């Protein structure tokens, strides 16, 4: 018996549905669209990450590229440090011995240099990520005197004195004198007396005694405290503590 179905006898259900084929064609992803979608997702993710890092840098912790040797041996040229911006946000102020980053406009620099706004914005973003040199008005120094302190250089052994107490500055650059410049100042309230650890290679409060402000840095201009070294890996870690100011008392006899 011939069981082969004749063309006229084939089941219509087995025939392809023209509408299904049309829908399949409409759902096909055009050539190259997959790569475009991947690139777009990557770009969006990169933008979100950049915004997050910038917000973190602006409000919490900021990378800072060390541009000079004024803080050697504590900080070296090319170190990338992490600046804690929350250190002084909740009522606490800088302490003697803290290493801080600050804006020196009005104290170390009388006027901020003029620059192209677009270039300035690009440089600001790069420096806030630790990818470029900091602004010309940003400095990193050690707090030696706070408001009310009398800071004198030098005693009979060549040491800096704070409120009559000689300071054993174990962080100084080997071979450096505490200061070759003589001074005897009282730090006004709300300001700080700043000095670099590499005293013979640091332009700091001593160099601005005869200028407006007398080299004192307003506390409000402090950007944050340097707590960690983040780069290079061989120097990764927190800044070493110094007991140099542990015995200094505040003016009037209280603990400073």
């Amino acid at each position: 018996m011939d069981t082969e179905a004749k063309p006229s006898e084939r089941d219509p259900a087995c025939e392809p549905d023209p509408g299904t084929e049309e829908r399949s064609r409409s759902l096909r992803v055009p050539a190259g669209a997959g790569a475009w979608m991947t690139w777009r997702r990557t770009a969006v993710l990169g933008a979100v990450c950049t915004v997050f890092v910038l917000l973190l840098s602006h409000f919490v912790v900021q990378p800072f590229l060390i541009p000079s040797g004024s803080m050697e041996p504590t900080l070296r040229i090319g170190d990338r440090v992490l600046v804690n911006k929350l250190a002084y946000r909740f009522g606490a102020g800088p302490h003697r011995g803290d290493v801080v980053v600050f804006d020196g406009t009005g104290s170390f620099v009388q006027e901020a240099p003029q620059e192209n706004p677009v270039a300035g914005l690009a440089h600001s973003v790069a420096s806030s990520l630790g990818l470029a040199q900091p602004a010309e008005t940003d400095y990193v120094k050690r707090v030696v005197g706070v408001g009310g302190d009398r800071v004198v250089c030098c005693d009979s052994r060549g040491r800096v004195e704070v409120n009559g107490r000689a300071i054993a500055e174990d962080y100084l650059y080997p071979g450096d004198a505490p200061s070759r410049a003589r001074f005897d100042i009282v730090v006004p309230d709300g300001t700080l007396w700043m000095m670099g650890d590499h005293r013979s290679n640091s332009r700091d409060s001593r160099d601005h005694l005869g200028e407006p402000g007398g080299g004192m840095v307003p506390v409000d201009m402090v950007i944050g405290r340097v707590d960690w070294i983040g780069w290079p890996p061989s120097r990764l870690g927190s800044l070493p503590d110094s007991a140099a100011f542990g015995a200094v008392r505040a003016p009037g006899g209280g603990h400073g």
Side-chain angles (χ1 to χ4, degrees):
M1 179 182 292
D2 187 1
T3 59
E4 183 180 353
K6 297 179 181 180
S8 59
E9 296 174 350
R10 290 177 180 169
D11 187 351
C14 297
E15 295 293 324
D17 183 358
T20 300
E21 187 175 352
E22 183 66 28
R23 285 192 297 272
S24 177
R25 282 198 301 268
S26 67
L27 293 174
R28 288 175 187 163
V29 178
W36 163 253
M37 295 288 288
T38 300
W39 182 90
R40 187 170 66 176
R41 282 196 296 268
T42 301
V44 170
L45 180 61
V48 170
C49 290
T50 300
V51 171
F52 174 78
V53 171
L54 287 174
L55 289 174
L56 187 71
S57 173
H58 186 75
F59 293 106
V60 182
V61 60
Q62 177 184 338
F64 185 87
L65 176 63
I66 301 301
S68 74
S70 70
M71 281 298 294
E72 292 177 339
T74 306
L75 301 174
R76 301 175 185 171
I77 298 173
D79 281 353
R80 283 172 172 79
V81 299
L82 300 179
V83 180
N84 182 359
K85 291 191 167 184
L86 298 180
Y88 309 125
R89 283 280 175 89
F90 304 104
H95 295 85
R96 306 178 196 94
D98 286 356
V99 176
V100 301
V101 171
F102 61 95
D103 182 350
T105 304
S107 55
F108 283 26
V109 179
Q110 294 307 310
E111 292 185 4
Q114 298 295 319
E115 60 182 354
N116 179 280
V118 175
L121 177 61
H123 183 269
S124 177
V125 171
S127 63
S128 68
L129 298 175
L131 301 176
Q133 296 276 350
E136 292 183 30
T137 56
D138 287 350
Y139 294 83
V140 56
K141 303 292 179 188
R142 189 180 295 272
V143 178
V144 174
V146 298
D149 284 348
R150 182 184 180 188
V151 186
V152 178
C153 187
C154 298
D155 70 0
S156 59
R157 296 174 56 185
R159 299 171 298 181
V160 171
E161 286 186 345
V162 180
N163 299 335
R165 180 76 63 170
I167 307 302
E169 298 182 279
D170 55 349
Y171 44 74
L172 290 184
Y173 188 82
D176 266 10
S179 180
R180 297 190 182 281
R182 300 275 174 170
F183 55 85
D184 184 344
I185 55 94
V186 174
V187 183
D189 288 340
T191 67
L192 304 167
W193 178 263
M194 304 285 200
M195 299 176 76
D197 291 356
H198 194 346
R199 296 285 160 81
S200 63
N201 190 34
S202 175
R203 289 185 58 82
D204 47 43
S205 291
R206 298 169 296 166
D207 296 278
H208 303 282
L209 279 168
E211 300 175 6
M216 311 296 175
V217 176
V219 172
D220 292 344
M221 300 300 279
V222 173
I223 295 169
R225 184 180 66 208
V226 178
D227 282 350
W228 309 278
I229 299 175
W231 189 265
S234 60
R235 289 174 49 73
L236 189 68
S238 59
L239 253 63
D241 292 330
S242 173
F245 296 89
V248 175
R249 295 180 178 272
H255 285 287

